[in-house]
């Protein structure tokens, strides 16, 4: 388990899946995700059964330390030991926890895990143009805009421009020492 002042990150468990479905089906949350919705619990359970044994991914549940409330999910995708990189994602699903600057605790926990535990060199993430607030959060936590890929992915009924941000291990270590 990874911990900070207010947050615990633990591995995603099957009992967390109904919350994941609820959040992914919430239009206010899904409009910022690079995925299609709606999602079903049955498909999410099938996804979980495959992904739980996949070493190229690690999914964490974000838990409020004080209340034990599951508030979101984060993790790393496409973990490559050869290229020493991975894609990060984060979603705060519980609306009452929005605006509390919790990503300022969550992002360093995930980056520390990626750079120290997994010995990666680069972590990147993707946003879509409407997610300006998210990009500000990522930049505040050490990410730098690296690329803008026009009409890169088809989701939500249209081609989406993907903005890629990254942080390098050397940058992260420089900012945490």
């Amino acid at each position: 388990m990874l911990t900070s002042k207010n947050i615990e990150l633990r591995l995603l468990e099957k009992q967390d899946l109904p919350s994941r479905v609820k959040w992914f089906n919430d239009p206010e949350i899904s409009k910022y995700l690079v995925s299609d919705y709606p999602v079903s619990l049955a498909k999410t359970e099938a996804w979980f059964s495959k992904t739980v044994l996949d070493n190229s991914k690690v999914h964490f549940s974000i838990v409020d330390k004080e209340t034990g409330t599951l508030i979101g999910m984060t993790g790393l995708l496409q973990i490559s030991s050869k290229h020493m990189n991975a894609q990060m994602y984060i979603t705060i699903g519980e609306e009452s926890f929005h605006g509390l600057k919790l990503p300022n605790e969550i992002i360093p926990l995930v980056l520390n895990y990626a750079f120290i535990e997994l010995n990666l060199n680069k972590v990147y993430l993707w946003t879509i143009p409407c997610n300006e607030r998210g990009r500000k959060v990522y930049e505040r936590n050490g990410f730098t805009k690296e690329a803008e890929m026009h009409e890169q992915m088809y989701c939500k009924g249209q081609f989406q421009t993907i903005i890629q941000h990254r942080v390098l291990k050397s940058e992260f270590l420089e900012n945490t020492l």
Side-chain angles (χ1 to χ4, degrees):
M1 187 177 310
L2 308 175
T3 63
S4 66
K5 179 181 175 188
N6 299 299
I7 295 297
E8 293 177 347
L9 301 183
R10 60 168 172 73
L11 291 177
L12 179 68
E13 295 290 347
K14 191 170 185 171
Q15 70 262 20
D16 302 331
L17 299 182
S19 294
R20 186 180 194 275
V21 170
K22 179 182 89 169
W23 299 330
F24 273 57
N25 287 331
D26 181 334
E28 284 303 305
I29 294 171
S30 69
K31 71 181 177 184
Y32 300 116
L33 302 179
V34 185
S35 65
D36 282 318
Y37 81 105
V39 297
S40 70
L41 183 56
K43 283 188 176 182
T44 300
E45 287 174 346
W47 163 84
F48 178 76
S49 294
K50 287 191 308 189
T51 197
V52 75
L53 299 175
D54 185 345
N55 290 332
S56 71
K57 300 173 174 71
V58 63
H59 300 281
F60 294 110
S61 294
I62 304 167
V63 178
D64 176 63
K65 278 173 80 169
E66 183 178 332
T67 65
T69 303
L70 175 66
I71 64 168
M73 298 183 180
T74 187
L76 299 167
L77 308 172
Q78 301 176 27
I79 300 169
S80 170
S81 56
K82 177 181 179 182
H83 300 295
M84 299 177 68
N85 63 29
Q87 177 185 355
M88 182 183 162
Y89 73 92
I90 180 173
T91 301
I92 305 292
E94 290 301 317
E95 189 175 348
S96 61
F97 288 87
H98 291 183
L100 301 179
K101 299 194 184 263
L102 294 176
N104 294 347
E105 293 183 43
I106 298 163
I107 293 170
L109 286 175
V110 175
L111 292 178
N112 190 70
Y113 178 80
F115 294 132
I116 304 305
E117 297 300 319
L118 299 180
N119 196 32
L120 299 180
N121 183 59
K122 176 180 178 177
V123 173
Y124 61 93
L125 56 81
W126 293 342
T127 63
I128 54 179
C130 70
N131 194 2
E132 287 181 47
R133 183 174 165 198
R135 281 190 295 283
K136 288 179 183 175
V137 169
Y138 301 132
E139 289 170 5
R140 185 172 65 233
N141 283 279
F143 283 86
T144 301
K145 181 179 175 181
E146 184 170 60
E148 196 165 314
M149 300 168 282
H150 296 275
E151 298 186 10
Q152 178 72 14
M153 297 183 75
Y154 190 84
C155 66
K156 298 177 183 45
Q158 65 184 18
F159 285 101
Q160 298 287 336
T161 294
I162 301 298
I163 301 167
Q164 181 166 306
H165 282 68
R166 61 100 176 122
V167 62
L168 301 176
K169 183 177 186 176
S170 59
E171 297 165 338
F172 175 76
L173 293 176
E174 181 179 305
N175 290 326
T176 58
L177 295 179

